mmCIF file of all heavy atoms in Angstrom:
data_model
loop_
_atom_site.group_PDB
_atom_site.id
_atom_site.type_symbol
_atom_site.label_atom_id
_atom_site.label_comp_id
_atom_site.label_asym_id
_atom_site.label_seq_id
_atom_site.Cartn_x
_atom_site.Cartn_y
_atom_site.Cartn_z
ATOM 1 N N THR A 1 13.342 -2.172 -2.538
ATOM 2 C CA THR A 1 13.923 -1.195 -1.554
ATOM 3 C C THR A 1 14.142 0.141 -2.425
ATOM 4 O O THR A 1 13.880 1.188 -2.022
ATOM 5 C CB THR A 1 15.337 -1.492 -1.012
ATOM 6 O OG1 THR A 1 15.020 -2.768 -0.222
ATOM 7 C CG2 THR A 1 15.816 -0.534 0.014
ATOM 8 N N LYS A 2 14.664 -0.109 -3.630
ATOM 9 C CA LYS A 2 14.845 1.156 -4.528
ATOM 10 C C LYS A 2 13.594 1.771 -4.886
ATOM 11 O O LYS A 2 13.451 2.950 -4.808
ATOM 12 C CB LYS A 2 15.591 0.816 -5.821
ATOM 13 C CG LYS A 2 16.020 1.961 -6.702
ATOM 14 C CD LYS A 2 16.566 1.492 -8.046
ATOM 15 C CE LYS A 2 16.891 2.734 -8.931
ATOM 16 N NZ LYS A 2 16.068 3.798 -8.826
ATOM 17 N N LEU A 3 12.604 0.950 -5.174
ATOM 18 C CA LEU A 3 11.144 1.496 -5.479
ATOM 19 C C LEU A 3 10.765 2.323 -4.254
ATOM 20 O O LEU A 3 10.244 3.413 -4.328
ATOM 21 C CB LEU A 3 10.274 0.381 -5.779
ATOM 22 C CG LEU A 3 8.833 0.805 -6.032
ATOM 23 C CD1 LEU A 3 8.657 1.765 -7.204
ATOM 24 C CD2 LEU A 3 7.905 -0.443 -6.260
ATOM 25 N N ARG A 4 10.903 1.706 -3.009
ATOM 26 C CA ARG A 4 10.443 2.372 -1.848
ATOM 27 C C ARG A 4 11.103 3.644 -1.685
ATOM 28 O O ARG A 4 10.379 4.691 -1.278
ATOM 29 C CB ARG A 4 10.775 1.520 -0.625
ATOM 30 C CG ARG A 4 9.841 0.333 -0.326
ATOM 31 C CD ARG A 4 10.150 -0.432 0.922
ATOM 32 N NE ARG A 4 9.509 -1.610 1.043
ATOM 33 C CZ ARG A 4 8.320 -1.834 1.640
ATOM 34 N NH1 ARG A 4 7.707 -0.744 2.191
ATOM 35 N NH2 ARG A 4 7.664 -2.924 1.771
ATOM 36 N N ARG A 5 12.339 3.796 -1.917
ATOM 37 C CA ARG A 5 13.117 5.042 -1.728
ATOM 38 C C ARG A 5 12.607 6.048 -2.793
ATOM 39 O O ARG A 5 12.388 7.336 -2.493
ATOM 40 C CB ARG A 5 14.644 4.766 -2.059
ATOM 41 C CG ARG A 5 15.588 5.283 -0.962
ATOM 42 C CD ARG A 5 17.010 5.066 -1.205
ATOM 43 N NE ARG A 5 17.283 3.766 -0.858
ATOM 44 C CZ ARG A 5 17.831 2.747 -1.577
ATOM 45 N NH1 ARG A 5 18.319 3.150 -2.827
ATOM 46 N NH2 ARG A 5 18.133 1.551 -1.166
ATOM 47 N N ASP A 6 12.426 5.630 -4.018
ATOM 48 C CA ASP A 6 11.931 6.525 -5.055
ATOM 49 C C ASP A 6 10.538 7.002 -4.636
ATOM 50 O O ASP A 6 10.172 8.303 -4.796
ATOM 51 C CB ASP A 6 11.765 5.824 -6.469
ATOM 52 C CG ASP A 6 13.132 5.472 -7.026
ATOM 53 O OD1 ASP A 6 14.130 5.957 -6.509
ATOM 54 O OD2 ASP A 6 13.181 4.746 -7.948
ATOM 55 N N LEU A 7 9.687 6.226 -4.133
ATOM 56 C CA LEU A 7 8.370 6.721 -3.679
ATOM 57 C C LEU A 7 8.355 7.585 -2.473
ATOM 58 O O LEU A 7 7.730 8.601 -2.545
ATOM 59 C CB LEU A 7 7.511 5.352 -3.366
ATOM 60 C CG LEU A 7 7.037 4.507 -4.461
ATOM 61 C CD1 LEU A 7 6.530 3.184 -3.967
ATOM 62 C CD2 LEU A 7 6.027 5.187 -5.261
ATOM 63 N N ARG A 8 9.246 7.271 -1.595
ATOM 64 C CA ARG A 8 9.394 8.142 -0.311
ATOM 65 C C ARG A 8 9.750 9.630 -0.697
ATOM 66 O O ARG A 8 9.437 10.554 -0.174
ATOM 67 C CB ARG A 8 10.415 7.460 0.630
ATOM 68 C CG ARG A 8 10.153 7.869 2.067
ATOM 69 C CD ARG A 8 10.958 7.136 3.016
ATOM 70 N NE ARG A 8 10.648 5.652 3.052
ATOM 71 C CZ ARG A 8 11.593 4.751 2.812
ATOM 72 N NH1 ARG A 8 12.877 5.076 2.772
ATOM 73 N NH2 ARG A 8 11.284 3.510 2.965
ATOM 74 N N LYS A 9 10.732 9.640 -1.725
ATOM 75 C CA LYS A 9 11.278 11.055 -2.183
ATOM 76 C C LYS A 9 10.144 11.843 -2.590
ATOM 77 O O LYS A 9 10.176 13.105 -2.534
ATOM 78 C CB LYS A 9 12.289 10.782 -3.324
ATOM 79 C CG LYS A 9 13.591 10.335 -2.877
ATOM 80 C CD LYS A 9 14.512 10.230 -4.057
ATOM 81 C CE LYS A 9 15.762 9.411 -3.745
ATOM 82 N NZ LYS A 9 16.545 9.136 -4.850
ATOM 83 N N GLN A 10 9.129 11.206 -3.245
ATOM 84 C CA GLN A 10 7.912 11.960 -3.800
ATOM 85 C C GLN A 10 6.807 12.111 -2.742
ATOM 86 O O GLN A 10 5.693 12.496 -3.112
ATOM 87 C CB GLN A 10 7.427 11.273 -5.081
ATOM 88 C CG GLN A 10 8.513 11.252 -6.199
ATOM 89 C CD GLN A 10 8.670 12.662 -6.604
ATOM 90 O OE1 GLN A 10 7.865 13.532 -6.818
ATOM 91 N NE2 GLN A 10 9.970 12.832 -6.978
ATOM 92 N N GLY A 11 6.902 11.587 -1.606
ATOM 93 C CA GLY A 11 5.950 11.731 -0.508
ATOM 94 C C GLY A 11 4.759 10.660 -0.748
ATOM 95 O O GLY A 11 3.639 10.845 -0.323
ATOM 96 N N VAL A 12 5.163 9.566 -1.326
ATOM 97 C CA VAL A 12 4.208 8.520 -1.642
ATOM 98 C C VAL A 12 4.633 7.247 -0.763
ATOM 99 O O VAL A 12 5.648 6.933 -0.550
ATOM 100 C CB VAL A 12 4.327 8.098 -3.130
ATOM 101 C CG1 VAL A 12 3.354 6.942 -3.518
ATOM 102 C CG2 VAL A 12 3.951 9.243 -4.001
ATOM 103 N N ASP A 13 3.485 6.634 -0.278
ATOM 104 C CA ASP A 13 3.624 5.582 0.693
ATOM 105 C C ASP A 13 3.398 4.138 -0.075
ATOM 106 O O ASP A 13 2.615 4.071 -0.993
ATOM 107 C CB ASP A 13 2.599 5.716 1.784
ATOM 108 C CG ASP A 13 2.950 5.028 3.098
ATOM 109 O OD1 ASP A 13 4.057 4.460 3.047
ATOM 110 O OD2 ASP A 13 2.147 5.014 4.022
ATOM 111 N N ILE A 14 4.091 3.206 0.379
ATOM 112 C CA ILE A 14 3.873 1.770 -0.169
ATOM 113 C C ILE A 14 3.630 0.834 1.059
ATOM 114 O O ILE A 14 4.353 0.915 2.048
ATOM 115 C CB ILE A 14 5.045 1.276 -1.139
ATOM 116 C CG1 ILE A 14 4.619 -0.114 -1.686
ATOM 117 C CG2 ILE A 14 6.295 1.301 -0.317
ATOM 118 C CD1 ILE A 14 5.696 -0.570 -2.733
ATOM 119 N N GLN A 15 2.758 -0.042 0.886
ATOM 120 C CA GLN A 15 2.391 -1.043 1.976
ATOM 121 C C GLN A 15 2.154 -2.422 1.221
ATOM 122 O O GLN A 15 1.547 -2.568 0.233
ATOM 123 C CB GLN A 15 1.059 -0.765 2.601
ATOM 124 C CG GLN A 15 0.602 -1.690 3.581
ATOM 125 C CD GLN A 15 1.007 -1.292 5.007
ATOM 126 O OE1 GLN A 15 1.278 -0.111 5.326
ATOM 127 N NE2 GLN A 15 1.148 -2.213 5.985
ATOM 128 N N VAL A 16 2.838 -3.396 1.793
ATOM 129 C CA VAL A 16 2.674 -4.769 1.389
ATOM 130 C C VAL A 16 2.029 -5.543 2.317
ATOM 131 O O VAL A 16 2.375 -5.516 3.609
ATOM 132 C CB VAL A 16 4.115 -5.425 1.057
ATOM 133 C CG1 VAL A 16 3.944 -6.913 0.679
ATOM 134 C CG2 VAL A 16 4.828 -4.588 0.024
ATOM 135 N N ALA A 17 0.957 -6.221 1.991
ATOM 136 C CA ALA A 17 0.185 -7.030 3.010
ATOM 137 C C ALA A 17 -0.550 -8.136 2.243
ATOM 138 O O ALA A 17 -0.641 -8.195 1.000
ATOM 139 C CB ALA A 17 -0.854 -6.131 3.626
ATOM 140 N N LYS A 18 -1.100 -9.091 2.971
ATOM 141 C CA LYS A 18 -1.871 -10.044 2.501
ATOM 142 C C LYS A 18 -3.190 -9.519 1.783
ATOM 143 O O LYS A 18 -3.653 -8.513 2.323
ATOM 144 C CB LYS A 18 -2.334 -11.154 3.475
ATOM 145 C CG LYS A 18 -1.067 -11.962 4.006
ATOM 146 C CD LYS A 18 -1.504 -12.966 4.958
ATOM 147 C CE LYS A 18 -0.416 -13.792 5.468
ATOM 148 N NZ LYS A 18 -0.780 -14.750 6.390
ATOM 149 N N LYS A 19 -3.651 -10.167 0.696
ATOM 150 C CA LYS A 19 -4.838 -9.711 -0.053
ATOM 151 C C LYS A 19 -6.036 -9.618 0.883
ATOM 152 O O LYS A 19 -6.878 -8.582 0.788
ATOM 153 C CB LYS A 19 -5.038 -10.573 -1.236
ATOM 154 C CG LYS A 19 -3.921 -10.548 -2.205
ATOM 155 C CD LYS A 19 -4.262 -11.430 -3.272
ATOM 156 C CE LYS A 19 -3.098 -11.546 -4.279
ATOM 157 N NZ LYS A 19 -3.303 -12.582 -5.366
ATOM 158 N N THR A 20 -6.276 -10.506 1.720
ATOM 159 C CA THR A 20 -7.448 -10.550 2.635
ATOM 160 C C THR A 20 -7.449 -9.245 3.487
ATOM 161 O O THR A 20 -8.471 -8.654 3.721
ATOM 162 C CB THR A 20 -7.546 -11.772 3.454
ATOM 163 O OG1 THR A 20 -6.341 -12.001 4.105
ATOM 164 C CG2 THR A 20 -7.905 -12.984 2.629
ATOM 165 N N LEU A 21 -6.232 -8.985 4.007
ATOM 166 C CA LEU A 21 -6.083 -7.816 4.947
ATOM 167 C C LEU A 21 -6.301 -6.508 4.141
ATOM 168 O O LEU A 21 -6.975 -5.519 4.671
ATOM 169 C CB LEU A 21 -4.734 -7.774 5.557
ATOM 170 C CG LEU A 21 -4.338 -9.022 6.509
ATOM 171 C CD1 LEU A 21 -3.001 -8.881 7.089
ATOM 172 C CD2 LEU A 21 -5.505 -9.163 7.542
ATOM 173 N N ILE A 22 -5.810 -6.549 2.829
ATOM 174 C CA ILE A 22 -5.954 -5.334 1.993
ATOM 175 C C ILE A 22 -7.465 -5.162 1.727
ATOM 176 O O ILE A 22 -8.004 -4.086 1.788
ATOM 177 C CB ILE A 22 -5.196 -5.411 0.752
ATOM 178 C CG1 ILE A 22 -3.709 -5.423 1.020
ATOM 179 C CG2 ILE A 22 -5.587 -4.350 -0.272
ATOM 180 C CD1 ILE A 22 -2.821 -5.695 -0.116
ATOM 181 N N ASP A 23 -8.198 -6.242 1.399
ATOM 182 C CA ASP A 23 -9.585 -6.236 1.091
ATOM 183 C C ASP A 23 -10.392 -5.691 2.360
ATOM 184 O O ASP A 23 -11.186 -4.827 2.195
ATOM 185 C CB ASP A 23 -10.111 -7.588 0.798
ATOM 186 C CG ASP A 23 -10.468 -7.694 -0.750
ATOM 187 O OD1 ASP A 23 -10.415 -6.684 -1.406
ATOM 188 O OD2 ASP A 23 -10.727 -8.885 -1.170
ATOM 189 N N LEU A 24 -10.050 -6.099 3.528
ATOM 190 C CA LEU A 24 -10.705 -5.747 4.742
ATOM 191 C C LEU A 24 -10.543 -4.252 4.999
ATOM 192 O O LEU A 24 -11.347 -3.522 5.340
ATOM 193 C CB LEU A 24 -10.158 -6.570 5.921
ATOM 194 C CG LEU A 24 -10.961 -6.529 7.252
ATOM 195 C CD1 LEU A 24 -12.459 -6.951 7.069
ATOM 196 C CD2 LEU A 24 -10.256 -7.412 8.353
ATOM 197 N N SER A 25 -9.300 -3.850 4.732
ATOM 198 C CA SER A 25 -8.845 -2.410 4.893
ATOM 199 C C SER A 25 -9.647 -1.545 3.873
ATOM 200 O O SER A 25 -10.166 -0.415 4.258
ATOM 201 C CB SER A 25 -7.441 -2.238 4.791
ATOM 202 O OG SER A 25 -6.718 -2.863 5.828
ATOM 203 N N LEU A 26 -9.805 -2.005 2.676
ATOM 204 C CA LEU A 26 -10.476 -1.196 1.621
ATOM 205 C C LEU A 26 -12.021 -1.051 2.010
ATOM 206 O O LEU A 26 -12.525 0.005 1.940
ATOM 207 C CB LEU A 26 -10.351 -1.842 0.309
ATOM 208 C CG LEU A 26 -9.121 -1.792 -0.391
ATOM 209 C CD1 LEU A 26 -9.009 -2.737 -1.606
ATOM 210 C CD2 LEU A 26 -8.722 -0.338 -0.924
ATOM 211 N N LYS A 27 -12.563 -2.105 2.437
ATOM 212 C CA LYS A 27 -13.955 -2.084 2.873
ATOM 213 C C LYS A 27 -14.184 -1.206 4.089
ATOM 214 O O LYS A 27 -15.123 -0.377 4.123
ATOM 215 C CB LYS A 27 -14.470 -3.441 3.161
ATOM 216 C CG LYS A 27 -14.805 -4.284 1.904
ATOM 217 C CD LYS A 27 -15.200 -5.645 2.114
ATOM 218 C CE LYS A 27 -15.373 -6.511 0.792
ATOM 219 N NZ LYS A 27 -14.393 -6.539 -0.146
ATOM 220 N N LYS A 28 -13.303 -1.196 5.035
ATOM 221 C CA LYS A 28 -13.429 -0.410 6.241
ATOM 222 C C LYS A 28 -13.236 1.124 5.987
ATOM 223 O O LYS A 28 -13.723 2.027 6.545
ATOM 224 C CB LYS A 28 -12.361 -0.827 7.407
ATOM 225 C CG LYS A 28 -12.865 -1.998 8.109
ATOM 226 C CD LYS A 28 -11.944 -2.265 9.248
ATOM 227 C CE LYS A 28 -12.392 -3.511 10.026
ATOM 228 N NZ LYS A 28 -11.627 -3.684 11.279
ATOM 229 N N ALA A 29 -12.402 1.410 4.854
ATOM 230 C CA ALA A 29 -12.123 2.764 4.437
ATOM 231 C C ALA A 29 -13.224 3.263 3.535
ATOM 232 O O ALA A 29 -13.285 4.385 3.157
ATOM 233 C CB ALA A 29 -10.795 2.806 3.706
ATOM 234 N N GLY A 30 -14.215 2.366 3.175
ATOM 235 C CA GLY A 30 -15.363 2.787 2.340
ATOM 236 C C GLY A 30 -15.079 2.672 0.860
ATOM 237 O O GLY A 30 -15.917 3.253 0.034
ATOM 238 N N ILE A 31 -14.109 1.952 0.455
ATOM 239 C CA ILE A 31 -13.956 1.714 -0.955
ATOM 240 C C ILE A 31 -14.336 0.247 -1.227
ATOM 241 O O ILE A 31 -13.751 -0.749 -0.837
ATOM 242 C CB ILE A 31 -12.410 1.747 -1.227
ATOM 243 C CG1 ILE A 31 -11.890 3.191 -0.845
ATOM 244 C CG2 ILE A 31 -12.217 1.626 -2.832
ATOM 245 C CD1 ILE A 31 -10.436 3.395 -0.826
ATOM 246 N N THR A 32 -15.588 0.139 -1.804
ATOM 247 C CA THR A 32 -16.223 -1.231 -1.908
ATOM 248 C C THR A 32 -16.118 -1.871 -3.358
ATOM 249 O O THR A 32 -16.345 -3.011 -3.480
ATOM 250 C CB THR A 32 -17.713 -1.033 -1.582
ATOM 251 O OG1 THR A 32 -18.301 -0.054 -2.505
ATOM 252 C CG2 THR A 32 -17.827 -0.677 -0.113
ATOM 253 N N ASP A 33 -15.749 -1.082 -4.458
ATOM 254 C CA ASP A 33 -15.837 -1.750 -5.654
ATOM 255 C C ASP A 33 -14.398 -2.348 -6.020
ATOM 256 O O ASP A 33 -14.224 -2.573 -7.306
ATOM 257 C CB ASP A 33 -16.242 -0.709 -6.704
ATOM 258 C CG ASP A 33 -15.313 0.410 -6.959
ATOM 259 O OD1 ASP A 33 -14.469 0.688 -6.005
ATOM 260 O OD2 ASP A 33 -15.307 1.147 -7.856
#
């Protein structure tokens, strides 16, 4: 929660998800490597 707060202050976003969902999102966003 402290890390999330520090990131939010700087306008940075954090997302926690399952690796398969992250992989799928990366591929759909065009990041393949």
Side-chain angles (χ1 to χ4, degrees):
T1 304
K2 183 184 180 329
L3 175 62
R4 283 182 190 272
R5 230 179 282 126
D6 292 348
L7 290 165
R8 206 173 297 126
K9 285 179 191 172
Q10 299 293 323
V12 178
D13 201 7
I14 183 171
Q15 176 99 27
V16 174
K18 292 182 178 181
K19 294 176 189 175
T20 52
L21 299 179
I22 293 171
D23 254 350
L24 193 58
S25 300
L26 286 166
K27 284 178 180 54
K28 283 187 175 188
I31 304 166
T32 56
D33 65 343

